[in-house]
Amino acid sequence: MKKIIVTGGSGFIGSNLISLLLKKKYFVINVDKLSYSANSYNVKNFKKNRNYLFYKTDINKTSKILQILNKHKPIGIFNLAAETHVDRSIDKAHHFIRSNIVGVYSLLEAIRKFENNKVKKIKLLQISTDEVYGDIPNNKKADENHNYNPSSPYSASKAAADQFIKSYSRTYGLKIMIAHPCNNYGPNQHPEKFIPKMIFNILNNKPLPVYGNGKNVREWIYVKDNCEALLKIFLKGKNNQNYNIGTGIRLKNTEIAKKLLDIAKKRVAAKPNKTKIVFVKDRPGHDERYALNSKLIKKEIRWKHKISISYGLLKTLAWYSKNYNYFKRISKKNITKRLGLKI
Ligand SMILES: NC(=O)c1ccc[n+]([C@@H]2O[C@H](COP(=O)([O-])OP(=O)(O)OC[C@H]3O[C@@H](n4cnc5c(N)ncnc54)[C@H](O)[C@@H]3O)[C@@H](O)[C@H]2O)c1
């Protein structure tokens, strides 16, 4: 049975990815330090699976990662361990530098030490982001050769990690690939993020806080589509290549909020009559628009998203309504000050 390490597997995308990998009969080793954004609820379904193993470890611990590599000899690593909330990076960048830059350096060092004198190499798939390209003007799209132009401490930390990874490929011959997914949504996402926050407020008949004028455009992908793309890149991608993972579904924040409200009005028993969009003070440095050119993944990897935004949002709203306890598991002290959720 082929073994794969997923770092950050107790978070949003990581837990959805593990679920896919287990279905595809991989043996999955989850390495997660269990920060505030991890949730035991996310991994409850595979905790007892014989093909699943968990290490509570920080990717900064090179010697521990090396031990895990030596013991299990996996075919590859999907690195999703990261600090991920832009607002938090604006409040304090320290943790972002530590996990997203130094953590990646430590992981690279562990791989380098593991590969010393070994003929067989393991593949590292780094999960970067579309945010490294920065603001993309209207009618333009960023392909994989677009300049890095990060705007927030979060995206700057992800951009720095990508550069380290590239340098380790060139200097030490590590086998690496870098994925740039657009904004993910779906089950298991921490409620401080935009879509779960909107859903929580809809379910509680509260106003929907949207930054600035609400016109910021994001490209959206249902998390399961993204995980399928990641696995395909891992299996079919070229060494040392970056791959954008986009859908072309680009919507303003207000459009997402309105779509969720419309779905809820039709589907949710307790009607969100008092729920309406309210505009709040904008995020500093807020990027106006992200837009990916994803021709490469379509042509080379033969991947295309399957889930439409209407169906994806419906599924997401249904999941959060059914798993309302998810919100309750998030303790008050872990909620960001900006646009804070009051539970
Ligand atoms: N969510 C999105 O829309 C999106 C889009 C593009 C790229 N990404 C990238 O995908 C990855 C996963 O994002 P997510 O939304 O699932 O994040 P998340 O915040 O839900 O999960 C991150 C996980 O990483 C763990 N972690 C953090 N620092 C760690 C460390 N030093 N050592 C070990 N574990 C650590 C956390 O405990 C958590 O379980 C990130 O690298 C993020 O930059 C996310």
Side-chain angles (χ1 to χ4, degrees):
M1 193 167 230
K2 287 178 177 159
K3 294 182 176 176
I4 289 180
I5 292 182
V6 175
T7 70
S10 301
F12 165 45
I13 303 177
S15 56
N16 280 286
L17 178 66
I18 291 176
S19 174
L20 173 70
L21 293 175
L22 289 172
K23 271 189 207 130
K24 301 275 181 192
K25 304 290 174 213
Y26 290 96
F27 185 98
V28 184
I29 301 152
N30 175 11
V31 173
D32 197 303
K33 76 169 187 182
L34 300 184
S35 75
Y36 81 94
S37 72
N39 195 330
S40 58
Y41 205 72
N42 295 347
V43 295
K44 70 177 189 329
N45 289 339
F46 31 84
K47 252 182 175 166
K48 286 184 186 151
N49 190 319
R50 277 187 301 153
N51 299 328
Y52 172 76
L53 204 60
F54 174 63
Y55 287 95
K56 183 179 183 307
T57 301
D58 192 315
I59 55 166
N60 277 290
K61 293 186 179 158
T62 302
S63 57
K64 182 68 192 171
I65 303 291
L66 188 55
Q67 252 179 33
I68 297 171
L69 291 175
N70 280 324
K71 183 163 179 205
H72 297 288
K73 302 189 174 46
I75 57 164
I77 302 176
F78 289 70
N79 181 37
L80 295 105
E83 290 292 330
T84 57
H85 194 34
V86 173
D87 287 344
R88 285 179 188 262
S89 81
I90 293 167
D91 289 341
K92 199 173 183 192
H94 174 82
H95 297 300
F96 290 75
I97 293 165
R98 181 153 171 74
S99 282
N100 303 5
I101 307 177
V102 187
V104 166
Y105 159 72
S106 309
L107 197 60
L108 290 166
E109 277 298 290
I111 299 172
R112 190 164 79 86
K113 286 180 183 155
F114 173 69
E115 288 185 345
N116 253 345
N117 306 321
K118 288 196 178 72
V119 185
K120 209 166 156 25
K121 289 182 179 285
I122 57 173
K123 278 191 229 174
L124 170 67
L125 175 56
Q126 168 69 1
I127 320 305
S128 179
T129 166
D130 61 350
E131 299 191 27
V132 294
Y133 303 127
D135 246 336
I136 306 297
N138 278 339
N139 304 322
K140 292 245 160 66
K141 295 180 219 166
D143 67 11
E144 289 80 358
N145 297 318
H146 193 280
N147 288 347
Y148 277 21
N149 193 15
S151 307
S152 70
Y154 162 68
S155 51
S157 69
K158 296 294 288 184
D162 291 358
Q163 308 291 24
F164 262 99
I165 290 168
K166 285 276 184 187
S167 79
Y168 268 61
S169 166
R170 168 97 188 224
T171 307
Y172 305 110
L174 260 57
K175 275 173 89 175
I176 61 101
M177 283 173 289
I178 298 178
H180 299 277
C182 59
N183 269 35
N184 279 234
Y185 68 99
N188 298 3
Q189 190 168 26
H190 192 284
E192 70 185 0
K193 300 284 170 61
F194 182 64
I195 287 183
K197 189 182 306 163
M198 295 298 116
I199 294 176
F200 175 82
N201 282 15
I202 286 172
L203 296 178
N204 285 285
N205 209 2
K206 285 181 176 172
L208 307 181
V210 173
Y211 275 140
N213 59 14
K215 289 187 179 159
N216 306 65
V217 172
R218 297 291 177 265
E219 187 160 333
W220 292 96
I221 187 168
Y222 191 67
V223 65
K224 289 194 168 57
D225 273 338
N226 181 46
C227 292
E228 276 170 18
L230 293 176
L231 179 56
K232 280 200 163 179
I233 292 172
F234 181 78
L235 296 173
K236 297 185 181 174
K238 282 190 188 142
N239 184 35
N240 199 17
Q241 178 65 54
N242 295 45
Y243 292 97
N244 287 344
I245 307 178
T247 58
I249 301 168
R250 298 182 198 107
L251 292 168
K252 293 177 190 144
N253 288 342
T254 43
E255 289 173 320
I256 289 282
K258 276 183 195 147
K259 274 183 183 290
L260 282 167
L261 251 180
D262 287 347
I263 298 169
K265 280 179 184 159
K266 285 185 204 139
R267 303 279 181 149
V268 176
K271 298 286 174 232
N273 299 326
K274 288 190 197 143
T275 306
K276 60 175 187 354
I277 294 171
V278 290
F279 295 106
V280 297
K281 190 169 177 271
D282 209 355
R283 167 193 281 169
H286 203 175
D287 280 327
E288 304 245 322
R289 180 175 178 269
Y290 298 136
L292 288 175
N293 172 333
S294 302
K295 280 185 186 159
L296 187 65
I297 188 171
K298 283 182 192 148
K299 197 169 148 235
E300 218 180 77
I301 314 275
R302 306 239 160 254
W303 170 88
K304 193 181 180 305
H305 75 280
K306 293 180 195 138
I307 298 178
S308 71
I309 188 77
S310 303
Y311 184 55
L313 289 177
L314 174 64
K315 271 166 78 90
T316 307
L317 203 135
W319 187 87
Y320 280 100
S321 318
K322 198 172 154 209
N323 296 274
Y324 192 75
N325 283 345
Y326 194 80
F327 290 119
K328 290 198 184 140
R329 279 179 178 254
I330 311 298
S331 68
K332 277 184 193 162
K333 68 177 186 319
N334 282 331
I335 299 299
T336 40
K337 279 174 241 140
R338 283 167 215 278
L339 299 190
L341 265 175
K342 290 193 186 71
I343 294 184

